[in-house]
Amino acid sequence: MRKSILDLVSMKRQGKRIAMLTCYDYTMARLLDASGVDAILVGDSLGCVMLGYPDTLPVTVDDMIHHARAVVRGCQQALVVVDMPFMSYQISVADAVANAGRLLKETGAQAVKLEGGAHVVPQIRAIVEAGIPVQAHVGMTPQSVNALGGFKVQGKGEEAAGRLLADALAVEQAGAFSVVLECVPPKLAALASRTLHIPTIGIGAGAGCDGQVLVSHDMLGMFTDFTPRFVKRFAEAGETMRTAFKAYVEEVRTGTFPTGAHTFANADCDDETLTRLERACHDTVPE
Ligand code: KIV
């Protein structure tokens, strides 16, 4: 049975921690889903990880749909949340509802995520009223990297902490089923988690959140263009892949791959047929 937003909310009530990871393609979705992960985020981080952009700003709704469809095809038990990319919900409430609708209708995902606090309350309310579950995202919001002056910890100092808490409460009241807290001081994130009724999912926000999310390619050691402090590497898959690619190149060059084990020997032509074919070639090729 696929997990629903209600399962995540009830996990918080029961004090069970929620595990979420990002995913952008079918093969990874199959592997991730089989791990028992509670929720999968098709994050707009795909802009950096899959498409090689320096940040998430160029990502389009069509990019998100393309990747989210593949993820949904590979996933049976985890809740799938799709990010709303930059400028797909900021311009107007009508735009936000239409784009959230496309993201669900054209992918089969169960929820959308969007960045921002009090200023996106009208969008959250309208999307939720359209029957689409919304995960909010406050603290360090990568789509606002230019306004924030870089990827920095948010909520430092009493005023900023108060604002962050107010944002978290505002998105809960607007109907969000969960909120991501990114790069938030751990005690503030723990306070928000105790105060809110909806689950908080932390990334760089300490162990006091109701759940955690990481970019899969970061935690697997596959994406190393930049590694935030909050990333723990659970594997060195990048190194494993580099070693395998090098071994393949070497074996192709030396002729040690393929061997008989990797060829269709049974379907081979017999020697007589080959000789006839060779003769026929000589007869047709002009001198
Ligand atoms: O886009 C993304 O992957 C995210 C997570 C880092 C929370 O928003």
Side-chain angles (χ1 to χ4, degrees):
M1 266 277 274
R2 191 188 288 285
K3 293 202 171 83
S4 74
I5 60 164
L6 299 182
D7 292 317
L8 264 58
V9 174
S10 100
M11 282 178 79
K12 171 167 178 136
R13 289 208 189 109
Q14 294 168 37
K16 291 186 185 159
R17 292 209 171 89
I18 299 163
M20 187 176 201
L21 280 167
T22 67
C23 185
Y24 320 105
D25 65 64
Y26 171 81
T27 300
M28 186 87 92
R30 293 280 305 252
L31 293 167
L32 252 176
D33 200 51
S35 75
V37 73
D38 300 302
I40 286 178
L41 172 65
V42 187
D44 61 354
S45 49
L46 69 82
C48 306
V49 172
M50 303 301 288
L51 304 177
Y53 297 135
D55 52 44
T56 59
L57 273 60
V59 177
T60 65
V61 173
D62 287 339
D63 289 334
M64 296 308 303
I65 289 173
H66 177 75
H67 286 271
R69 273 182 174 161
V71 170
V72 169
R73 282 196 288 268
C75 169
Q76 277 161 7
Q77 67 81 31
L79 177 84
V80 181
V81 182
V82 187
D83 249 338
M84 298 195 69
F86 184 54
M87 284 300 140
S88 68
Y89 56 94
Q90 288 91 340
I91 297 167
S92 72
V93 170
D95 249 19
V97 177
N99 283 321
R102 275 197 71 198
L103 287 166
L104 249 65
K105 221 175 149 101
E106 296 181 34
T107 69
Q110 286 79 52
V112 296
K113 175 166 86 58
L114 56 79
E115 296 181 6
H119 65 285
V120 289
V121 157
Q123 283 90 329
I124 295 176
R125 203 167 270 141
I127 296 170
V128 171
E129 276 170 10
I132 300 170
V134 176
Q135 181 170 56
H137 181 159
V138 303
M140 168 61 211
T141 45
Q143 291 174 18
S144 307
V145 60
N146 293 310
L148 297 173
F151 296 97
K152 294 176 178 162
V153 175
Q154 303 297 305
K156 285 204 274 186
E158 192 170 337
E159 201 192 323
R163 251 196 331 268
L164 196 143
L165 218 44
D167 275 339
L169 284 164
V171 296
E172 173 174 82
Q173 276 163 16
F177 76 88
S178 165
V179 58
V180 169
L181 305 177
E182 179 164 354
C183 293
V184 173
K187 285 187 182 161
L188 179 60
L191 171 60
S193 305
R194 285 197 303 275
T195 309
L196 297 179
H197 298 97
I198 58 174
T200 59
I201 308 291
I203 174 162
C209 297
D210 302 307
Q212 299 291 326
V213 62
L214 280 177
V215 169
S216 290
H217 291 61
D218 286 341
M219 59 83 82
L220 290 172
M222 286 169 73
F223 182 78
T224 51
D225 289 8
F226 49 88
T227 305
R229 179 186 155 83
F230 54 73
V231 171
K232 175 178 172 181
R233 283 215 193 151
F234 286 78
E236 294 298 337
E239 198 43 49
T240 304
M241 288 164 84
R242 258 192 300 277
T243 306
F245 294 147
K246 271 192 195 160
Y248 169 79
V249 169
E250 183 62 18
E251 290 199 17
V252 168
R253 288 194 178 143
T254 57
T256 38
F257 173 82
T259 62
H262 307 107
T263 43
F264 299 99
N266 291 344
D268 229 348
C269 296
D270 56 41
D271 289 348
E272 258 175 49
T273 312
L274 285 176
T275 310
R276 263 199 316 279
L277 287 171
E278 194 176 3
R279 248 188 241 127
C281 283
H282 283 304
D283 291 348
T284 52
V285 175
E287 292 292 309

